[in-house]
Amino acid sequence: ALKKVNFNKTKEEIENQINILQKLKHSNIIQYFGIFEEEIDNFIVLEYLPMGNLNNLLLKERKSLELFDLIHFSKDISSGMLCLSNNNI
C-alpha cells in the first residue's frame, strides 16, 4: 500500500516518521517497506491490509462482531501498544 507524504510536514518530521516505522517489527503494527519518490509526490510503502484498517472494519462489521472478536482485537491492540511503549514511541 502507498501512503502519500503530507507536504505540510517538514522534511525532519517526515524523516522522524520513517525512522519510527523502520524500528517497528510487530505483527500488530503495519510494516514499513520503504519510500517511493517522484518529481511531485513522495509515498511511503506500507504493508497492504486487504480488509482495510481496524477503524473501517469496525464501522463496516459493527453489528456482526461477536464478543470473542472484540476481545481478540483488544488483545492485539494492547500487544501493539506495548511494542510502541517498549520502543519509547
Side-chain angles (χ1 to χ4, degrees), residues 33-83:
F33 293 118
I35 189 162
F36 176 71
E37 299 179 46
E38 291 186 333
E39 286 183 33
I40 298 173
D41 295 318
N42 295 316
F43 299 90
I44 296 175
V45 183
L46 300 169
E47 173 183 8
Y48 174 69
L49 303 174
M51 296 184 71
N53 64 37
L54 180 60
N55 186 52
N56 291 344
L57 178 67
L58 291 174
L59 291 173
K60 181 177 159 188
E61 304 291 334
R62 181 184 343 190
K63 295 178 184 172
S64 63
L65 289 173
E66 300 289 330
L67 180 60
F68 174 83
D69 297 320
L70 297 173
I71 292 170
H72 181 76
F73 289 148
S74 298
K75 181 179 171 265
D76 288 348
I77 291 167
S78 297
S79 179
M81 293 297 292
L82 179 61
C83 176

Side-chain angles (χ1 to χ4, degrees), residues 4-60:
K4 187 174 179 179
V5 175
N6 184 344
F7 285 102
N8 294 331
K9 295 182 179 182
T10 66
K11 183 173 177 120
E12 183 178 304
E13 289 173 317
I14 294 168
E15 288 174 354
N16 185 49
Q17 183 178 7
I18 289 171
N19 288 334
I20 290 170
L21 290 170
Q22 286 175 324
K23 286 194 323 186
L24 299 174
K25 305 287 185 223
H26 191 277
S27 62
N28 299 116
I29 298 176
I30 196 163
Q31 186 67 48
Y32 166 83
F33 293 118
I35 189 162
F36 176 71
E37 299 179 46
E38 291 186 333
E39 286 183 33
I40 298 173
D41 295 318
N42 295 316
F43 299 90
I44 296 175
V45 183
L46 300 169
E47 173 183 8
Y48 174 69
L49 303 174
M51 296 184 71
N53 64 37
L54 180 60
N55 186 52
N56 291 344
L57 178 67
L58 291 174
L59 291 173
K60 181 177 159 188

